[in-house]
Amino acid sequence: MDLDTVRTFVAAADAGQFQEAAAELAVTQQAVSKRIAALERDLGVRLFTRTPRGAELTIDGQAFLPHARELLRVAERAVSSVRAGRRPLRVDVIASRTAQSALMRGFHRAHPEIDLDVVMLFDVETAVAAIRSGTIDASFRAVAMPGRPLPEDIESVRVLDEPLQLLTGPAHALAGARSVTVAQLAGHRIWMPGIVPGTEWAAYYDDLVAEFGLTIEATGPNFGSDALLDTIADTPALATFMSEQTRLVWPAGHGLRRIPVTDPTPVYPHSLLWHRDNPHPALPTLRAHLATTATGHDAAGTWAPGWVIPR
C-alpha cells in the first residue's frame, strides 16, 4: 500500500475537502483526487462521498481512518529508528562483564546525552557482517585473525591492551605467589572451557600456547563463569586465565587468587571496528572518547600475537 495515498486520505478526511488537503500537501486538487481513487481501487471500497460542503467519509472510510493513522505512525517510527541522530548508537561488547563493557560504561558516564544500545554478538565474522549491514555501528574485537583480514570498508583502531591474570583456588601450587612469570606456568593445567575453535580468542590462545609451551585445556561444556569459579576453587590442579578488567564476584569461602603474569605479560588486544561510511553522529564521539582513554600498545614487557593490527 502506497503511503502517499494513505497520507492523502488522512489529510482529506481531516480537512473535509480535497482542495484544503491539496493545499496542506502542496499538490494539486487533481493529484489528491487521483490518489484517493487509487486507494479506493486497492481497497475495493468507496472512502468518500462528494457533498455540497466537500467530501464526507463513507462507513468504509470511517472504518479505515484509524488504521490509516496507525500506518503513518508506524512508518514514522520506522524512519526514525534509522535516521542519523534519532536512533541509539549500537555497539557490540561480546559480554557484559568484560573490558569492552567497562569502556562503554565509561563512555556513557562521559556522554549521558547519547542513547546507547549495547549488544553481544559471538565472533568477529558475525560482528563484521552486522557492521556492514548496518545492524550495529561498532564492535570491540581482536583483529585481524590469521588468514581473515578485515574487509576494505571496515575501519579499526586499537583501544586497549588488557593484561591477563592467573586465577587459582587456595590449594593451587601457585596460590601464594604475588606474581608469576609465563615460564613458571609451563606444566600447569590452565582450564578455559569458553574457548571456541574458529573465534578470535581461540586464535589468541593458540598463539600463546605455541609461543610459551603452555597447557591450555578447553575440554568440557562451558556452564558459565559461576561453574568455572566453583571448579577452580575446588580443584588444586587447575587454574584459568582471567582478563584484568573482567568483573566477577565469588563467595568469600572460595578463596580465589588473581595473580599478575609477568616476563612478559600476555595482553589481550581490543580494537574498535566500524564501517567507514557509517553516518551516525555519535560514532566520532565514541572514537574520540576512546582515543583519550586508550592505553599504550605493544608496551615493553608485554606480549600479543603477531597478527594483531598494531595501530
Side-chain angles (χ1 to χ4, degrees), residues 38-108:
L39 183 60
E40 289 176 332
R41 285 195 301 272
D42 288 343
L43 297 174
V45 296
R46 292 287 302 277
L47 299 173
F48 290 97
T49 58
R50 297 294 188 113
T51 70
R53 293 178 296 178
E56 292 183 356
L57 289 172
T58 63
I59 293 177
D60 290 323
Q62 293 172 28
F64 181 63
L65 181 59
H67 301 291
R69 295 191 194 279
E70 183 61 21
L71 280 172
L72 297 180
R73 282 193 291 268
V74 170
E76 177 58 28
R77 288 197 296 270
V79 171
S80 296
S81 71
V82 296
R83 186 177 293 147
R86 294 288 298 276
R87 64 165 177 80
L89 183 71
R90 303 187 187 110
V91 182
D92 162 42
V93 299
I94 304 179
S96 62
R97 296 179 176 180
T98 58
Q100 307 100 321
S101 183
L103 288 172
M104 289 309 300
R105 289 195 300 272
F107 175 69
H108 179 60

Side-chain angles (χ1 to χ4, degrees), residues 30-287:
Q30 183 181 20
V32 170
S33 297
K34 287 183 176 180
R35 291 178 184 178
I36 296 298
L39 183 60
E40 289 176 332
R41 285 195 301 272
D42 288 343
L43 297 174
V45 296
R46 292 287 302 277
L47 299 173
F48 290 97
T49 58
R50 297 294 188 113
T51 70
R53 293 178 296 178
E56 292 183 356
L57 289 172
T58 63
I59 293 177
D60 290 323
Q62 293 172 28
F64 181 63
L65 181 59
H67 301 291
R69 295 191 194 279
E70 183 61 21
L71 280 172
L72 297 180
R73 282 193 291 268
V74 170
E76 177 58 28
R77 288 197 296 270
V79 171
S80 296
S81 71
V82 296
R83 186 177 293 147
R86 294 288 298 276
R87 64 165 177 80
L89 183 71
R90 303 187 187 110
V91 182
D92 162 42
V93 299
I94 304 179
S96 62
R97 296 179 176 180
T98 58
Q100 307 100 321
S101 183
L103 288 172
M104 289 309 300
R105 289 195 300 272
F107 175 69
H108 179 60
R109 286 192 295 269
H111 297 279
E113 76 284 358
I114 295 177
D115 289 334
L116 291 175
D117 274 347
V118 176
V119 302
M120 299 173 200
L121 303 179
F122 183 68
D123 60 13
V124 66
E125 291 184 341
T126 302
V128 167
I131 291 172
R132 301 185 82 186
S133 69
T135 304
I136 63 173
D137 297 298
S139 175
F140 290 94
R141 295 286 159 175
V143 293
M145 292 174 59
R148 302 185 194 176
L150 291 178
E152 292 184 358
D153 54 351
I154 300 297
E155 302 280 357
S156 72
V157 62
R158 198 146 150 202
V159 296
L160 176 66
D161 281 0
E162 184 182 14
L164 295 188
Q165 296 178 334
L166 188 72
L167 184 73
T168 76
H172 193 276
L174 299 174
R178 298 185 63 179
S179 65
V180 295
T181 66
V182 176
Q184 287 177 293
L185 298 180
H188 290 279
R189 296 169 60 198
I190 300 172
W191 186 50
M192 302 193 68
I195 296 180
V196 179
T199 59
E200 63 263 38
W201 56 92
Y204 175 90
Y205 285 107
D206 284 346
D207 274 27
L208 185 63
V209 166
E211 183 79 14
F212 300 106
L214 303 185
T215 302
I216 293 182
E217 301 177 4
T219 56
N222 180 15
F223 289 113
S225 59
D226 290 342
L228 174 65
L229 297 178
D230 291 344
T231 303
I232 294 299
D234 294 338
T235 312
L238 294 180
T240 192
F241 280 129
M242 188 72 60
S243 294
E244 185 179 71
Q245 295 188 29
T246 298
R247 296 165 58 92
L248 293 175
V249 178
W250 50 79
H254 275 17
L256 294 172
R257 313 285 203 272
R258 296 184 74 143
I259 305 170
V261 180
T262 62
D263 297 326
T265 297
V267 295
Y268 193 87
H270 301 281
S271 292
L272 184 75
L273 278 60
W274 71 95
H275 196 283
R276 66 174 53 170
D277 296 327
N278 187 309
H280 199 293
L283 188 54
T285 307
L286 173 61
R287 297 202 303 268

